[in-house]
Amino acid sequence: MTEKGLSSNKKTALIVSGMVVGMIGMSFAAVPAYRAFCSVTGWNGTTQRAAAGADRTLERKVTVRFDGSVSQGLDWKFHPEQVSQTMHIGETSLAFFEAVNLSDKPITGRASFNVSPAKAGLYFKKIECFCFTEQTLQPGETVSMPVTYFVDPALAEDGNLDDVQTITLAYTFFPWEDDSADDGAGDGGSAAE
């Protein structure tokens, strides 16, 4: 092989190695980037956080249905305390979910969430929610967990949402074992707001 051929092979090897390192780096950045994108756009039913309620209330009403489940490995019972609430768009509402630790030891869980139809995610705003942080239940403990929310009046200005009369807010609780591994699952994606 000639010296020129060796140089070309080294150059190719460096380029391929650089591409592999870059692809690995991008794979680690993909999850946080996806969650940030979902949080900003409401993509995939990701709800939004709000510091306060809406500035106006509309005549148009919407029904919010509730759903709750637990993942495998979490010895809890979790369900909404109400099936649904009907309110005016822009009106602040309060809903409750009940969680029960069925085990004989303390267990920490964290809820992921989304809304459907997914296109309503950008307009579903939570002011306070148990899903913003992990929750620890003592053995046999039963707690009522609140969520304060509203549907943004801007929904009525989006022609793509003229058909939305019902929004489902769903939570799934997962075991939470490593507090230092907080990846923002409850802050804007499926899991944050």
Side-chain angles (χ1 to χ4, degrees):
M1 196 177 260
T2 66
E3 192 171 305
K4 185 176 181 183
L6 284 176
S7 173
S8 177
N9 287 344
K10 286 181 182 180
K11 186 175 181 180
T12 301
L14 283 173
I15 290 171
V16 169
S17 296
M19 289 174 61
V20 168
V21 168
M23 289 169 56
I24 291 170
M26 287 175 28
S27 70
F28 283 106
V31 171
Y34 176 74
R35 284 194 178 121
F37 172 78
C38 290
S39 178
V40 170
T41 64
W43 179 262
N44 202 23
T46 302
T47 62
Q48 308 296 303
R49 280 179 100 158
D55 58 355
R56 66 191 195 280
T57 302
L58 306 180
E59 285 300 312
R60 180 176 166 187
K61 290 186 176 183
V62 66
T63 298
V64 177
R65 297 184 48 79
F66 303 98
D67 186 34
S69 62
V70 294
S71 70
Q72 287 186 331
L74 184 64
D75 198 10
W76 283 12
K77 181 177 160 189
F78 175 70
H79 62 88
E81 294 183 17
Q82 61 286 300
V83 173
S84 65
Q85 294 176 335
T86 299
M87 78 257 207
H88 294 278
I89 291 177
E91 179 182 353
T92 299
S93 292
L94 178 64
F96 291 91
F97 287 74
E98 182 179 88
V100 181
N101 181 349
L102 302 173
S103 78
D104 60 356
K105 63 183 182 200
I107 297 178
T108 300
R110 184 140 187 194
S112 66
F113 51 84
N114 70 353
V115 299
S116 61
K119 63 185 179 180
L122 184 61
Y123 302 101
F124 197 96
K125 311 274 183 162
K126 292 188 214 168
I127 300 169
E128 292 291 334
C129 183
F130 58 87
C131 62
F132 293 163
T133 61
E134 55 277 352
Q135 305 294 321
T136 301
L137 273 63
Q138 298 305 313
E141 182 179 13
T142 299
V143 296
S144 186
M145 300 180 183
V147 56
T148 306
Y149 69 95
F150 66 95
V151 177
D152 192 322
L155 177 136
E157 298 162 11
D158 186 335
N160 292 324
L161 294 159
D162 288 346
D163 63 331
V164 173
Q165 297 175 1
T166 302
I167 298 172
T168 300
L169 174 62
Y171 290 97
T172 301
F173 256 101
F174 293 89
W176 186 261
E177 297 175 10
D178 183 5
D179 293 339
S180 66
D182 185 2
D183 59 6
D187 295 330
S190 295
E193 306 278 306

